Amino acid sequence: MDTTPEAVPSRLDVEGRVATPAAIPGATYADMTGLQRSGLKLASWVLGMIGLLAAALLVLIAISEYVVHPPEVAATLALIDSAAQHYADTGEPETLKQVNDLMLRLAEAHRAMREFWTGYSQFLLMNLLLPVLTSILGYVFGTARGGGSP
């Protein structure tokens, strides 16, 4: 089916009657009132803030997850390397248990950091900005269909 603008009909013939689509009042930007236009601009700003914040949080999480290690993690990794080397030299099971405990603590600290950023991101995006965006859009489109009065 050809969907070029010339091939798309603007009128529809149904059982011998010609039907043309009726214009919805307030459906275009030019038909909106000043308050509705302001609401739509505000909604676009809030949507932009959501996008920027989501991108910034993803970059921050990716950097903290894969690139930068806090000094405590670097010190722990150095300690683990030396303990593993000591175990390889001596073969004592107590040293292996200490290395295992350090690895478990390091994994727990990493998991706690990841949970913090996940919870923080969810709070900002889902509990703060998304309800603001939906209420603004509900107002804009509700007044556009309702004749311009809230």
Side-chain angles (χ1 to χ4, degrees):
M1 179 176 174
D2 191 15
T3 58
T4 60
E6 297 82 29
V8 177
S10 59
R11 296 167 30 129
L12 182 63
D13 186 11
V14 180
E15 297 176 2
R17 297 175 294 178
V18 175
T20 57
I24 300 171
T28 63
Y29 190 75
D31 295 339
M32 290 183 171
T33 64
L35 190 59
Q36 291 170 340
R37 288 181 190 171
S38 297
L40 197 57
K41 286 180 185 176
L42 182 62
S44 65
W45 277 99
V46 171
L47 189 60
M49 284 177 35
I50 289 173
L52 285 174
L53 184 64
L57 286 171
L58 284 175
V59 167
L60 181 68
I61 290 171
I63 287 173
S64 67
E65 188 83 16
Y66 300 111
V67 178
V68 179
H69 294 292
E72 297 85 14
V73 173
T76 306
L77 288 175
L79 185 62
I80 289 171
D81 285 341
S82 67
Q85 183 62 36
H86 178 70
Y87 176 71
D89 293 340
T90 61
E92 296 175 9
E94 184 62 33
T95 307
L96 182 60
K97 184 175 185 249
Q98 290 172 352
V99 170
N100 190 24
D101 289 343
L102 283 174
M103 290 299 288
L104 290 174
R105 278 191 255 147
L106 182 63
E108 178 64 28
H110 198 68
R111 186 189 61 76
M113 188 260 322
R114 190 178 308 125
E115 284 180 2
F116 167 76
W117 282 113
T118 303
Y120 185 69
S121 304
Q122 181 179 2
F123 170 74
L124 283 179
L125 295 174
M126 302 301 287
N127 296 345
L128 190 65
L129 291 175
L130 195 61
V132 170
L133 177 67
T134 56
S135 63
I136 291 170
L137 289 175
Y139 171 76
V140 168
F141 291 112
T143 57
R145 298 207 184 224
S149 62

